[in-house]
Amino acid sequence: MIAKTSIGRSFKGCCAYNMQKVEMGQGQVLLSQGVRDYELRAMVADFTRQAKMNPELTRSVWHTAISFDPQDEARLQLKPELMNQVASEYLKGMGLDQSQYVVIQHQDTAHSHFHIIANRVASNGQSISDSHNYNRSEKLLREIEQKHSLTLMKEQGYRLSLEHLPERDRHRLEMRNEVRQSLERSTTSAELKADLAQRGIEVIVNRDQAGKARGLSFERVSQTDNGEEIKVAFKGSKLHQSLSLCHIQEQLLENGHKRALELSQQRELAKAQELTISLQNEEKRLKKGRGLSM
């Protein structure tokens, strides 16, 4: 994802641009808090009224536009609530959830994106810091990308570096990258298949005449440089030797052991916390009992 943030003085212009998209049927309000999101004049009045709680903060308009990578379009179509989740987590991560805001999705471009308009004057009258907002925003976006398995920014740059390659070689390297990502976060073959399916990649098990699995292939419908749809398919071992059937099975088993260990450690930590709380409660009860006996 890519985010562009600007800090300004006037809510009117920023709100007008985004609400115009809604009125023209080229956008929709996804989320809002503390403002009337159905009418431009009322929205501006609500923002302005709260901004006056902190007149020393002259640049109270926070505007961020967040764009998704084209490779995430299929997931956004299958799971439309994903955009709301990303917006909510970004608002919370930047501290904007403590104030008024409106999130508006634009639908006038090929790539999905939304705009956040927020008040830097929080609901308690305090200022929401814009210090180092670029670095904080970039760090937060990378965390959100990983959490929701969205295309990482470094991979977007990686794809751009492949543009000079022949189409089939580019498709091969892109698919290898995506299969590796899915394999890193999967512990079973079912998880791997489901994760890749969200990216439009189908896992095919190649079997011999006796029905025994001998290898894997990965297929997807892609587009040529001319915009024509084609089916792209590669054997796992042709993507990379680490993506052959036996290596994938070994990696899934290792991932499963790691996850089981993490869950065990979490359960032990929870038990320790419960025991600590229980002992503290017992100590309080005993102290209270001694006080009554006096």
Side-chain angles (χ1 to χ4, degrees), residues 142-198:
R142 302 295 82 80
E143 292 172 356
I144 294 175
E145 286 168 348
Q146 290 184 340
K147 177 179 179 180
H148 295 287
S149 303
L150 294 165
T151 303
L152 297 176
M153 186 65 191
K154 63 182 180 181
E155 293 161 21
Q156 297 176 36
Y158 172 72
R159 283 204 322 283
L160 291 175
S161 70
L162 302 179
E163 288 186 350
H164 67 285
L165 296 178
E167 278 188 13
R168 184 163 179 81
D169 291 333
R170 187 166 69 246
H171 290 314
R172 182 196 301 269
L173 292 175
E174 288 177 348
M175 187 177 288
R176 184 182 72 183
N177 203 30
E178 293 184 68
V179 173
R180 279 175 167 172
Q181 291 173 36
S182 292
L183 182 58
E184 285 178 1
R185 53 180 169 260
S186 299
T187 61
T188 65
S189 58
E191 286 184 9
L192 180 63
K193 289 181 180 180
D195 192 87
L196 287 171
Q198 291 184 330

Side-chain angles (χ1 to χ4, degrees), residues 201-237:
I201 298 176
E202 182 181 2
V203 181
I204 308 296
V205 180
N206 303 317
R207 302 182 182 277
D208 59 19
Q209 292 183 346
K212 185 176 180 179
R214 292 296 184 184
L216 294 176
S217 294
F218 301 91
E219 296 183 359
R220 82 177 331 159
V221 175
S222 190
Q223 287 189 333
T224 66
D225 292 339
N226 297 323
E228 299 177 359
E229 287 192 350
I230 59 169
K231 179 174 284 190
V232 181
F234 298 99
K235 290 183 178 180
S237 58

Side-chain angles (χ1 to χ4, degrees), residues 16-272:
Y17 169 74
N18 284 280
M19 288 301 288
Q20 185 180 35
K21 297 289 185 181
V22 177
E23 292 168 359
M24 294 173 63
Q26 297 177 338
Q28 63 172 330
V29 176
L30 298 179
L31 303 166
S32 68
Q33 177 171 280
V35 295
R36 289 167 285 180
D37 60 19
Y38 49 82
E39 200 268 325
L40 172 61
R41 184 177 298 179
M43 181 187 296
V44 173
D46 292 337
F47 275 127
T48 303
R49 186 181 304 110
Q50 183 157 306
K52 290 180 179 178
M53 293 169 61
N54 190 340
E56 294 183 359
L57 184 65
T58 57
R59 291 166 23 108
S60 55
V61 182
W62 182 300
H63 177 212
T64 294
I66 295 180
S67 302
F68 291 83
D69 186 87
Q71 287 206 147
D72 295 323
E73 288 300 318
R75 287 196 60 207
L76 291 167
Q77 293 297 323
L78 289 171
K79 191 177 179 183
E81 68 272 17
L82 178 57
M83 190 175 294
N84 291 41
Q85 292 173 353
V86 169
S88 294
E89 290 169 15
Y90 186 85
L91 286 162
K92 184 175 182 179
M94 297 302 288
L96 301 172
D97 62 327
Q98 303 300 311
S99 186
Q100 299 168 307
Y101 60 77
V102 62
V103 180
I104 298 177
Q105 177 190 5
H106 287 193
Q107 301 164 327
D108 58 343
T109 59
H111 65 283
S112 293
H113 67 285
F114 60 83
H115 291 248
I116 293 174
I117 306 167
N119 200 335
R120 288 189 56 222
V121 177
S123 301
N124 61 3
Q126 298 298 310
S127 301
I128 294 176
S129 174
D130 65 342
S131 177
H132 305 293
N133 71 75
Y134 176 80
N135 291 334
R136 290 192 293 125
S137 176
E138 288 300 299
K139 182 177 183 294
L140 178 59
L141 286 176
R142 302 295 82 80
E143 292 172 356
I144 294 175
E145 286 168 348
Q146 290 184 340
K147 177 179 179 180
H148 295 287
S149 303
L150 294 165
T151 303
L152 297 176
M153 186 65 191
K154 63 182 180 181
E155 293 161 21
Q156 297 176 36
Y158 172 72
R159 283 204 322 283
L160 291 175
S161 70
L162 302 179
E163 288 186 350
H164 67 285
L165 296 178
E167 278 188 13
R168 184 163 179 81
D169 291 333
R170 187 166 69 246
H171 290 314
R172 182 196 301 269
L173 292 175
E174 288 177 348
M175 187 177 288
R176 184 182 72 183
N177 203 30
E178 293 184 68
V179 173
R180 279 175 167 172
Q181 291 173 36
S182 292
L183 182 58
E184 285 178 1
R185 53 180 169 260
S186 299
T187 61
T188 65
S189 58
E191 286 184 9
L192 180 63
K193 289 181 180 180
D195 192 87
L196 287 171
Q198 291 184 330
R199 296 175 176 270
I201 298 176
E202 182 181 2
V203 181
I204 308 296
V205 180
N206 303 317
R207 302 182 182 277
D208 59 19
Q209 292 183 346
K212 185 176 180 179
R214 292 296 184 184
L216 294 176
S217 294
F218 301 91
E219 296 183 359
R220 82 177 331 159
V221 175
S222 190
Q223 287 189 333
T224 66
D225 292 339
N226 297 323
E228 299 177 359
E229 287 192 350
I230 59 169
K231 179 174 284 190
V232 181
F234 298 99
K235 290 183 178 180
S237 58
K238 295 298 182 181
L239 290 177
H240 194 268
Q241 61 184 14
S242 64
L243 298 177
S244 64
L245 175 61
C246 63
H247 282 95
I248 286 178
Q249 289 174 332
E250 290 174 359
Q251 186 64 57
L252 290 173
L253 186 61
E254 182 180 341
N255 293 350
H257 289 324
K258 287 181 179 178
R259 184 176 296 181
L261 179 60
E262 290 172 356
L263 291 173
S264 176
Q265 291 174 338
Q266 291 173 3
R267 286 194 292 267
E268 290 300 318
L269 179 60
K271 287 180 180 178

